[in-house]
Amino acid sequence: MAAAPQPGAVRPGGRTARVREAVLQAAGDTLAEKGFDALDLAEIARVAGVGKTTVYRRWGTPGALAADLLADMAEQSLPRARTGSVDQDLRDNARLVVRTLTDPRQGRLFKALIAASLCDEQAARALHRFYAVRIDEWAGCVTDAVERGELPTGTDPHRVIAAVSAPLYYALLNTGEPLDDAAADRAAAGALAAARAGVASMEPRG
Protein backbone atom coordinates (compact mmCIF):
# COMPACT_ATOMS: atom_id res chain seq x y z
CA MET A 1 0.00 0.00 0.00
CA ALA A 2 1.36 3.41 -0.97
CA ALA A 3 2.32 5.73 1.86
CA ALA A 4 0.04 8.68 2.48
CA PRO A 5 1.49 11.99 1.23
CA GLN A 6 3.08 14.23 3.81
CA PRO A 7 1.14 17.40 4.68
CA GLY A 8 1.70 19.97 1.96
CA ALA A 9 3.30 17.42 -0.41
CA VAL A 10 0.43 17.67 -2.91
CA ARG A 11 -0.77 21.08 -4.02
CA PRO A 12 -4.56 20.84 -4.29
CA GLY A 13 -6.83 22.80 -6.59
CA GLY A 14 -10.31 24.29 -6.54
CA ARG A 15 -12.30 24.16 -3.33
CA THR A 16 -9.67 22.03 -1.62
CA ALA A 17 -7.09 24.76 -2.27
CA ARG A 18 -9.39 27.42 -0.83
CA VAL A 19 -10.01 25.34 2.29
CA ARG A 20 -6.29 24.79 2.78
CA GLU A 21 -5.54 28.47 2.26
CA ALA A 22 -8.16 29.54 4.80
CA VAL A 23 -7.04 27.00 7.40
CA LEU A 24 -3.34 27.81 6.99
CA GLN A 25 -4.07 31.52 7.25
CA ALA A 26 -6.00 30.96 10.48
CA ALA A 27 -3.27 28.66 11.81
CA GLY A 28 -0.54 31.17 11.00
CA ASP A 29 -2.44 34.01 12.66
CA THR A 30 -3.02 31.91 15.77
CA LEU A 31 0.61 30.83 16.00
CA ALA A 32 1.86 34.39 15.55
CA GLU A 33 -0.53 35.84 18.14
CA LYS A 34 -0.81 33.08 20.73
CA GLY A 35 1.78 30.36 20.08
CA PHE A 36 1.62 26.63 19.44
CA ASP A 37 -0.33 25.78 22.60
CA ALA A 38 -3.29 27.75 21.21
CA LEU A 39 -3.39 25.75 17.96
CA ASP A 40 -6.72 24.02 18.62
CA LEU A 41 -8.12 22.36 15.49
CA ALA A 42 -11.75 23.05 16.34
CA GLU A 43 -11.03 26.74 16.90
CA ILE A 44 -8.98 26.93 13.69
CA ALA A 45 -11.92 25.43 11.79
CA ARG A 46 -14.26 28.02 13.28
CA VAL A 47 -11.98 30.95 12.43
CA ALA A 48 -11.36 29.64 8.92
CA GLY A 49 -15.07 29.04 8.29
CA VAL A 50 -14.41 25.39 7.52
CA GLY A 51 -16.14 22.29 8.83
CA LYS A 52 -14.47 20.85 11.91
CA THR A 53 -14.65 17.35 10.45
CA THR A 54 -12.74 18.50 7.38
CA VAL A 55 -9.94 19.93 9.48
CA TYR A 56 -9.66 16.86 11.70
CA ARG A 57 -9.76 14.52 8.71
CA ARG A 58 -7.14 16.40 6.69
CA TRP A 59 -4.68 17.44 9.42
CA GLY A 60 -5.57 15.44 12.52
CA THR A 61 -3.14 17.08 14.94
CA PRO A 62 -1.74 20.56 15.64
CA GLY A 63 1.70 19.22 14.69
CA ALA A 64 0.48 18.15 11.27
CA LEU A 65 -1.14 21.54 10.75
CA ALA A 66 2.08 23.34 11.71
CA ALA A 67 3.95 21.02 9.34
CA ASP A 68 1.64 21.88 6.44
CA LEU A 69 2.03 25.58 7.19
CA LEU A 70 5.81 25.24 7.00
CA ALA A 71 5.53 23.32 3.74
CA ASP A 72 3.40 26.10 2.29
CA MET A 73 5.84 28.75 3.51
CA ALA A 74 8.70 26.93 1.80
CA GLU A 75 6.71 26.75 -1.44
CA GLN A 76 5.91 30.47 -1.34
CA SER A 77 9.39 31.70 -0.39
CA LEU A 78 11.30 33.92 -2.79
CA PRO A 79 13.84 32.39 -5.19
CA ARG A 80 17.55 32.96 -4.72
CA ALA A 81 19.46 35.95 -5.98
CA ARG A 82 21.44 35.78 -9.23
CA THR A 83 23.54 38.94 -9.18
CA GLY A 84 26.73 37.46 -10.59
CA SER A 85 28.62 38.29 -7.38
CA VAL A 86 28.82 35.99 -4.38
CA ASP A 87 29.26 39.02 -2.11
CA GLN A 88 25.95 40.49 -3.24
CA ASP A 89 24.15 37.14 -3.40
CA LEU A 90 25.00 36.35 0.23
CA ARG A 91 24.04 39.87 1.35
CA ASP A 92 20.72 39.47 -0.44
CA ASN A 93 20.20 36.15 1.32
CA ALA A 94 21.00 37.62 4.73
CA ARG A 95 18.80 40.67 4.18
CA LEU A 96 15.90 38.45 3.13
CA VAL A 97 16.29 36.48 6.37
CA VAL A 98 16.32 39.72 8.37
CA ARG A 99 13.23 41.07 6.60
CA THR A 100 11.40 37.84 7.35
CA LEU A 101 12.43 37.64 11.00
CA THR A 102 11.64 41.30 11.68
CA ASP A 103 8.28 41.28 9.94
CA PRO A 104 5.62 41.87 12.63
CA ARG A 105 3.75 38.69 11.73
CA GLN A 106 6.43 36.44 10.25
CA GLY A 107 8.91 37.02 13.06
CA ARG A 108 6.43 35.93 15.72
CA LEU A 109 5.30 33.06 13.52
CA PHE A 110 8.83 31.70 13.17
CA LYS A 111 9.38 31.92 16.92
CA ALA A 112 6.17 29.94 17.48
CA LEU A 113 7.12 27.32 14.89
CA ILE A 114 10.58 26.92 16.39
CA ALA A 115 8.99 26.51 19.81
CA ALA A 116 6.58 23.96 18.35
CA SER A 117 9.49 21.97 16.93
CA LEU A 118 10.87 21.50 20.44
CA CYS A 119 7.77 19.71 21.66
CA ASP A 120 6.21 18.14 18.56
CA GLU A 121 8.04 15.67 16.33
CA GLN A 122 5.95 16.44 13.23
CA ALA A 123 6.66 20.13 13.58
CA ALA A 124 10.35 19.40 14.11
CA ARG A 125 10.59 17.32 10.94
CA ALA A 126 8.72 19.98 9.00
CA LEU A 127 11.01 22.74 10.26
CA HIS A 128 14.04 20.70 9.20
CA ARG A 129 12.50 20.25 5.73
CA PHE A 130 11.74 23.97 5.52
CA TYR A 131 15.35 24.92 6.19
CA ALA A 132 16.61 22.21 3.83
CA VAL A 133 14.42 23.56 1.02
CA ARG A 134 15.57 27.13 1.58
CA ILE A 135 19.25 26.19 1.86
CA ASP A 136 18.98 24.07 -1.29
CA GLU A 137 17.46 27.05 -3.10
CA TRP A 138 20.27 29.45 -2.12
CA ALA A 139 23.10 26.93 -2.40
CA GLY A 140 23.22 27.64 -6.13
CA CYS A 141 24.73 31.05 -5.33
CA VAL A 142 27.77 29.31 -3.86
CA THR A 143 27.96 26.71 -6.62
CA ASP A 144 28.01 29.49 -9.19
CA ALA A 145 30.67 31.35 -7.21
CA VAL A 146 32.92 28.27 -7.20
CA GLU A 147 32.49 27.95 -10.96
CA ARG A 148 33.42 31.62 -11.40
CA GLY A 149 36.53 31.16 -9.26
CA GLU A 150 35.26 33.38 -6.43
CA LEU A 151 35.42 30.56 -3.88
CA PRO A 152 37.75 27.56 -3.49
CA THR A 153 36.95 24.32 -5.25
CA GLY A 154 35.31 21.93 -2.81
CA THR A 155 33.42 24.62 -0.91
CA ASP A 156 30.25 23.14 0.58
CA PRO A 157 27.36 25.34 -0.63
CA HIS A 158 25.02 24.21 2.12
CA ARG A 159 27.50 25.03 4.88
CA VAL A 160 28.00 28.52 3.51
CA ILE A 161 24.29 29.33 3.27
CA ALA A 162 23.62 27.89 6.72
CA ALA A 163 26.45 30.05 8.08
CA VAL A 164 24.76 33.16 6.69
CA SER A 165 21.50 32.70 8.55
CA ALA A 166 22.81 31.06 11.74
CA PRO A 167 23.92 34.26 13.54
CA LEU A 168 20.68 35.98 12.57
CA TYR A 169 18.53 33.25 14.13
CA TYR A 170 20.84 33.27 17.14
CA ALA A 171 20.22 36.99 17.57
CA LEU A 172 16.47 36.46 17.23
CA LEU A 173 16.24 33.65 19.77
CA ASN A 174 19.09 34.24 22.20
CA THR A 175 20.80 37.62 22.34
CA GLY A 176 18.05 39.97 21.25
CA GLU A 177 20.59 42.02 19.30
CA PRO A 178 19.12 44.29 16.61
CA LEU A 179 18.31 42.60 13.32
CA ASP A 180 18.90 45.12 10.56
CA ASP A 181 20.81 45.50 7.30
CA ALA A 182 24.06 45.98 9.20
CA ALA A 183 23.55 42.68 11.02
CA ALA A 184 22.68 41.00 7.73
CA ASP A 185 25.81 42.34 6.05
CA ARG A 186 28.00 41.18 8.95
CA ALA A 187 26.51 37.70 8.78
CA ALA A 188 27.07 37.50 5.04
CA ALA A 189 30.63 38.82 5.34
CA GLY A 190 31.46 36.30 8.06
CA ALA A 191 30.16 33.37 6.05
CA LEU A 192 32.00 34.58 2.96
CA ALA A 193 35.29 35.04 4.82
CA ALA A 194 35.03 31.52 6.23
CA ALA A 195 34.30 30.12 2.77
CA ARG A 196 37.26 31.94 1.21
CA ALA A 197 39.50 30.61 3.99
CA GLY A 198 38.45 27.06 3.22
CA VAL A 199 36.55 26.58 6.49
CA ALA A 200 33.44 25.52 4.55
CA SER A 201 35.24 22.91 2.50
CA MET A 202 33.47 19.62 1.84
CA GLU A 203 36.82 17.84 2.20
CA PRO A 204 37.92 16.73 5.68
CA ARG A 205 40.70 18.90 6.99
CA GLY A 206 43.70 17.13 8.45
Side-chain angles (χ1 to χ4, degrees), residues 46-126:
R46 185 192 68 78
V47 172
V50 175
K52 182 169 63 174
T53 302
T54 298
V55 173
Y56 276 98
R57 183 175 63 246
R58 169 150 189 162
W59 288 279
T61 66
L65 183 51
D68 197 12
L69 179 60
L70 278 161
D72 186 68
M73 290 165 63
E75 292 167 7
Q76 302 302 320
S77 295
L78 293 175
R80 74 173 178 92
R82 298 175 183 270
T83 68
S85 163
V86 68
D87 289 359
Q88 188 60 53
D89 284 351
L90 295 187
R91 281 198 299 271
D92 286 353
N93 177 231
R95 290 188 177 203
L96 175 60
V97 172
V98 165
R99 286 199 304 274
T100 300
L101 297 183
T102 56
D103 180 85
R105 181 178 186 273
Q106 290 296 95
R108 294 197 303 270
L109 178 55
F110 267 105
K111 285 183 178 180
L113 288 167
I114 291 168
S117 74
L118 299 177
C119 60
D120 186 276
E121 185 60 32
Q122 284 179 299
R125 290 195 301 268

Side-chain angles (χ1 to χ4, degrees), residues 92-167:
D92 286 353
N93 177 231
R95 290 188 177 203
L96 175 60
V97 172
V98 165
R99 286 199 304 274
T100 300
L101 297 183
T102 56
D103 180 85
R105 181 178 186 273
Q106 290 296 95
R108 294 197 303 270
L109 178 55
F110 267 105
K111 285 183 178 180
L113 288 167
I114 291 168
S117 74
L118 299 177
C119 60
D120 186 276
E121 185 60 32
Q122 284 179 299
R125 290 195 301 268
L127 188 64
H128 296 160
R129 285 195 299 272
F130 173 85
Y131 288 127
V133 167
R134 297 308 297 152
I135 289 174
D136 282 345
E137 172 66 24
W138 283 85
C141 298
V142 179
T143 302
D144 290 350
V146 172
E147 293 175 354
R148 293 192 300 262
E150 292 181 277
L151 293 175
T153 300
T155 298
D156 186 332
H158 295 80
R159 285 189 185 180
V160 176
I161 299 303
V164 172
S165 60

Side-chain angles (χ1 to χ4, degrees), residues 22-32 39 44 65-66 69 105 109:
V23 169
L24 294 185
Q25 179 68 40
D29 290 345
T30 298
L31 281 165
L39 202 62
I44 293 298
L65 183 51
L69 179 60
R105 181 178 186 273
L109 178 55

